[in-house]
Amino acid sequence: MSLATYDEARPWAKAIREEVLERRMPPWGAVKGFGEFRNDASLSEREIEMVANWVEGGAPPGEDIYLPPVPGAAPSGEPGAPADAAALELGIRKKLERTVVAVGVRVEGGEGWQWAQVVAHRPDGEFIPLAWVQNRSRHQPRDYYFAEPMRLSKGTEVQAASEGGAKTWLLVAR
């Protein structure tokens, strides 16, 4: 379905409401409170409430003066993507052989995966939750960019776990 215009989206209002309430729309699998991401496409509670109220109120059209500009060509790359990052494949455990600046996590899996979780244990004992991603949509974003890059020192152990065979990578600045 197209959501480019009101006329195209309006017939789908109830379906949109359900998908938004179930947090399947917009597609974003990262669990709130387990890492912060600059490319977070999820809706806030207030935005979810606004969509639900719009549908319950009959899904009226808005004022033309509030319409955003017509989009041009899609920008290349994903919002928040670092210009240059390398991907370190994670198994169940990976001990870092050098200090790295982590900029995100990549999660990739086939149809059957349910969730993936990535955490770091620094040599000083500090535990850092990096990402917990649920497979809520087959259009799931692959990369989750941290709100702020984080320095992980040599000897940090990065652990990945998943249900259903998701593969994970730590994205690091070069």
Side-chain angles (χ1 to χ4, degrees), residues 3 7 10 23 26 31 38 45 50 53 57 64 66-67 77-79 97 106 121 129-130 134-135 138 155 169 173-174:
L3 301 176
D7 289 336
R10 173 59 184 89
R23 296 186 180 274
V31 174
R38 73 171 72 166
E45 289 299 323
M50 286 173 57
N53 288 340
D64 287 348
Y66 298 116
L67 286 174
E78 195 173 333
E97 297 174 2
R106 174 174 295 158
H121 295 274
L130 299 177
Q134 296 179 338
N135 188 10
R138 52 192 176 132
W169 289 264
R174 290 187 193 209

Side-chain angles (χ1 to χ4, degrees), residues 27-32 34-42 75-88 101-108 118 129-133 140-150 169-174:
W28 178 258
V31 174
K32 291 283 186 199
F34 203 97
E36 290 184 43
F37 305 95
R38 73 171 72 166
N39 61 330
D40 186 342
S42 65
S76 62
E78 195 173 333
D84 190 24
L88 298 177
V101 176
V103 296
V105 170
R106 174 174 295 158
V107 179
E108 186 176 275
V118 181
L130 299 177
W132 181 3
V133 179
Q140 178 90 10
R142 281 180 39 154
D143 297 343
Y144 298 84
Y145 300 109
F146 302 137
E148 297 292 329
M150 62 184 75
W169 289 264
L170 183 65
L171 302 175
V172 298
R174 290 187 193 209

